[in-house]
């Protein structure tokens, strides 16, 4: 079965998570510089069977778009141009970074490890993807 990939796109870095082939479990894949995300995805899609991509949709508490919405919408536009056949869904990413940080604490990571923002982004993408899988 094909996999589902999730992207927590950010100004500097983008966390990426992927499902197993049965689309049951989400796992962190990597974090890439955001300006190289499209190139990374081209290479990854050439090697792996991915059927759908989730891209986080940042919203404020009142449901309005956040200040980073424009940056992410530009990436979504580029993504659609580069991968017109790929199914794309947007996913509410509110609280994923906070949940990722709490997960790091709960996992017993020390303070220095918790300061690794790339790891936070990867875990946030994993949380977003696992939440999506639970709703299916």
């Amino acid at each position: 079965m094909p996999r589902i990939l999730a992207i927590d796109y950010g100004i500097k870095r983008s966390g990426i998570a992927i499902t197993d082939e049965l689309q049951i479990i989400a796992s962190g894949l990597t974090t890439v510089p955001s300006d190289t995300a499209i190139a990374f995805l081209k290479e990854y899609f050439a090697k792996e069977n991915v059927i759908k991509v989730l891209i986080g949709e940042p919203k404020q508490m009142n449901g309005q778009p956040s200040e980073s919405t424009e940056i992410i919408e530009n990436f979504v536009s580029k993504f659609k141009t580069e991968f017109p056949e790929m199914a794309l869904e947007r996913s509410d990413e509110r609280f994923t970074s906070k949940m990722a940080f709490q997960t790091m604490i709960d996992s017993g990571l020390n303070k220095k490890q918790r300061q690794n923002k790339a790891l936070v982004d990867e875990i946030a993408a994993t949380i977003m993807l696992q939440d999506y899988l639970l709703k299916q």
Side-chain angles (χ1 to χ4, degrees):
M1 265 180 85
R3 300 170 187 261
I4 300 172
L5 183 136
I7 304 170
D8 180 27
Y9 190 83
I11 295 169
K12 295 180 182 179
R13 292 171 308 281
S14 295
I16 300 176
I18 191 80
T19 64
D20 62 319
E21 291 178 347
L22 297 175
Q23 299 178 9
I24 297 171
I25 299 169
S27 301
L29 180 62
T30 190
T31 302
V32 297
S34 291
D35 61 350
T36 67
I38 295 290
F40 172 84
L41 293 171
K42 282 181 184 178
E43 188 176 317
Y44 191 79
F45 293 162
K47 293 185 289 186
E48 294 290 337
N49 186 8
V50 176
I51 193 170
K52 183 184 295 181
V53 173
L54 299 178
I55 298 178
E57 189 169 28
K59 296 181 181 178
Q60 296 179 26
M61 290 298 295
N62 63 5
Q64 296 297 312
S66 77
E67 64 274 357
S68 60
T69 297
E70 184 178 340
I71 294 161
I72 296 171
E73 291 303 323
N74 287 337
F75 173 74
V76 169
S77 179
K78 288 178 190 173
F79 182 91
K80 288 178 179 178
T81 300
E82 291 290 334
F83 310 106
E85 302 298 318
M86 181 64 69
L88 172 69
E89 284 193 41
R90 303 299 302 277
S91 181
D92 187 351
E93 67 175 31
R94 282 182 282 188
F95 306 115
T96 55
S97 292
K98 288 181 182 181
M99 291 168 63
F101 190 75
Q102 187 60 49
T103 299
M104 294 170 80
I105 291 170
D106 294 346
S107 297
L109 296 180
N110 65 38
K111 186 175 181 179
K112 184 173 176 96
Q113 292 168 315
R114 292 192 308 260
Q115 291 173 342
N116 180 350
K117 293 183 183 194
L119 183 56
V120 173
D121 294 337
E122 185 178 324
I123 293 171
T126 306
I127 290 169
M128 182 174 58
L129 183 53
Q130 190 65 49
D131 185 53
Y132 173 83
L133 293 174
L134 291 173
K135 292 177 181 176
Q136 297 304 303

